[in-house]
Amino acid sequence: MALLKRLLIGGIVLGVLAAAGGAASLAVYATRQTVPAGVIVSGWHAEGVSLQGFRAKLEDAVLLLARQQVRLKAEPAGGVATSLTLEQLGLRSNADEIIAQMEALKSGSLWQRAQLRKKLTNRALGLQITFDKEVLQRTVDQTWIALQKSEPVNALRIISPQDEVRIDPGRNGYRIDTEELLRQLDGRFPPKDWMLGILQAPIPLTLPLLAIKPAVTEETLKAQGITRKIAEFSTVFPASGEGRIHNVSSAAQTVHDMLLPPDGIFDYSKIIQETEKKFGFQEAPVILNGKLVPGVGGGICQVSSTLYNAVLLGGLQIVERRNHSLPVSYVTPGLDATYADGYINFKFKNNTGHHLLIRTSMDNGRLTVKLFGQTPSDITYEVVTKTIRELPAPNKYVQNPTLRKGKKVTLQQGKPGLIVETYRVKKQNGNVVSTDLVSRDAYAPQPTLIAVNGDESKLGDDTAPAPSVIEDGVRGPNFR
């Protein structure tokens, strides 16, 4: 009995001593101030490093990483490279989270700390690098101000003084593609050997750009097919008559640089409407009932007639055209194209299969129209007019009581009328291919004006009355 009692007391003592030893071991394990065994942080084997040293080394490494430079090159900006730190580019990391896990080993009960240490043993902890998009965008906008504000410039068709056609290609505008830059930066960091405490040479990157194309590009202009001058015609206008010069100049400016698409119809009535809206018309003689009378817009038909001749020489299709009731001074009879608001118009069709550019100029009393486009270079056109018949000028008698009885005085010599045919001759390599009748035009004779005193049987004008339309202008003598 005494022996049993001694053995029981001894077991209790050994149990107490064993428990005391386990607690001591737990305390030793839980209160270690080093990184648990097998911990790796993005390739850095941190096992056995003091917790304080771990924190300092990781913070220093991330700080050094923030100072790492990236050399960004923007090709359209002249190829000049700009170096920026990762911090400037918005570097962010989870270093604080990793440090917090290790710092947690210093607090809590022995059991909690031991459990956490066991959990962290043989753990691979990745240093995650991200970039703040707002910071990156702000840095980009401040660094490349001119590039970020660049606007596209339209391509431009240039016609030289020698009538050669070339294209200035214009240029794109650009914006930095921040999303693509983020993708390029993500996944590249941290770099290899990032814990060695050594800055790498600036890392080269091409700055990703988004091109903003102009509305008019070199490709769109080339696609229009305007490659050369295909026709030209000039007429002369008098130096006097400010109203007429203004009207001719204004209508020519409206036509200048007009672009007609394939199968497009040129409508002179629309030119007149636009010209009056933009510039207005001034007083100048117009044709009314076969006579020159004061009016507004006189001279506008010199533009349509000059253009008409260029159109004939370019081989274009005439849709609508009428001659004046009287011959005009600036073109040969048969080669004029008049306009009467609401009655007579001038239209032609661009049947070249390509765009047609119309250019006008006024210099030293000459109005010139040039057509640019694309037609077969071996095809040319010649325009020929033939006077088929002259119509005799009638006499018009007016009473003059101051004359003696039976006396006649010619006040104004009349002019005969004309019947004129116009032909367009098509040639290939200088050889006639075809000859087509373009028009058959009649010009009314202008009567001889004779003053008499007496009962003359021929008093008045024996010509048929002309239609009451205003030609070569927009308003007649009652415009005020």
Side-chain angles (χ1 to χ4, degrees), residues 122-284:
N122 297 322
R123 284 285 300 277
L125 304 175
L127 181 67
Q128 297 173 5
I129 298 296
T130 58
F131 292 86
D132 189 313
K133 184 178 178 180
E134 290 185 4
V135 173
L136 179 62
Q137 187 68 60
R138 188 161 56 247
T139 297
V140 159
D141 291 342
Q142 292 173 351
T143 305
W144 290 278
I145 296 175
L147 182 63
Q148 288 291 76
K149 291 184 177 180
S150 65
E151 295 297 333
V153 176
N154 283 338
L156 182 65
R157 182 183 293 108
I158 299 174
I159 311 292
S160 74
Q162 294 74 37
D163 296 328
E164 296 171 338
V165 181
R166 70 177 181 87
I167 295 176
D168 183 319
R171 65 173 183 268
N172 293 333
Y174 291 94
R175 297 293 180 270
I176 296 171
D177 188 347
T178 310
E179 293 289 348
E180 177 59 27
L181 183 55
L182 277 171
R183 282 191 287 270
Q184 291 186 23
L185 291 170
D186 285 341
R188 294 197 60 161
F189 301 100
K192 186 179 179 181
D193 300 330
W194 66 285
M195 287 299 296
L196 295 179
I198 302 173
L199 284 175
Q200 298 186 32
I203 299 171
L205 282 181
T206 299
L207 197 64
L209 299 177
L210 295 172
I212 305 173
K213 289 193 173 185
V216 181
T217 66
E218 182 178 14
E219 291 74 20
T220 57
L221 290 183
K222 285 183 176 179
Q224 291 175 353
I226 297 174
T227 59
R228 66 183 182 90
K229 182 180 72 176
I230 62 175
E232 175 181 351
F233 194 80
S234 297
T235 57
V236 178
F237 56 86
S240 60
E242 290 184 4
R244 179 182 173 82
I245 293 173
H246 167 83
N247 298 336
V248 173
S249 174
S250 298
Q253 287 182 66
T254 304
V255 173
H256 181 66
D257 270 348
M258 183 175 179
L259 193 64
L260 203 60
D263 297 324
I265 303 295
F266 175 91
D267 185 337
Y268 197 55
S269 67
K270 294 180 180 178
I271 298 296
I272 296 304
Q273 293 168 13
E274 185 177 348
T275 302
E276 185 160 28
K277 183 178 179 180
K278 288 170 60 177
F279 304 103
F281 288 115
Q282 295 184 7
E283 295 181 28

Side-chain angles (χ1 to χ4, degrees), residues 44 50-62 99 195:
W44 171 39
S50 70
L51 295 179
Q52 184 176 354
F54 177 88
R55 178 183 190 129
K57 190 171 180 66
L58 188 56
E59 287 179 342
D60 288 346
V62 171
I99 291 172
M195 287 299 296

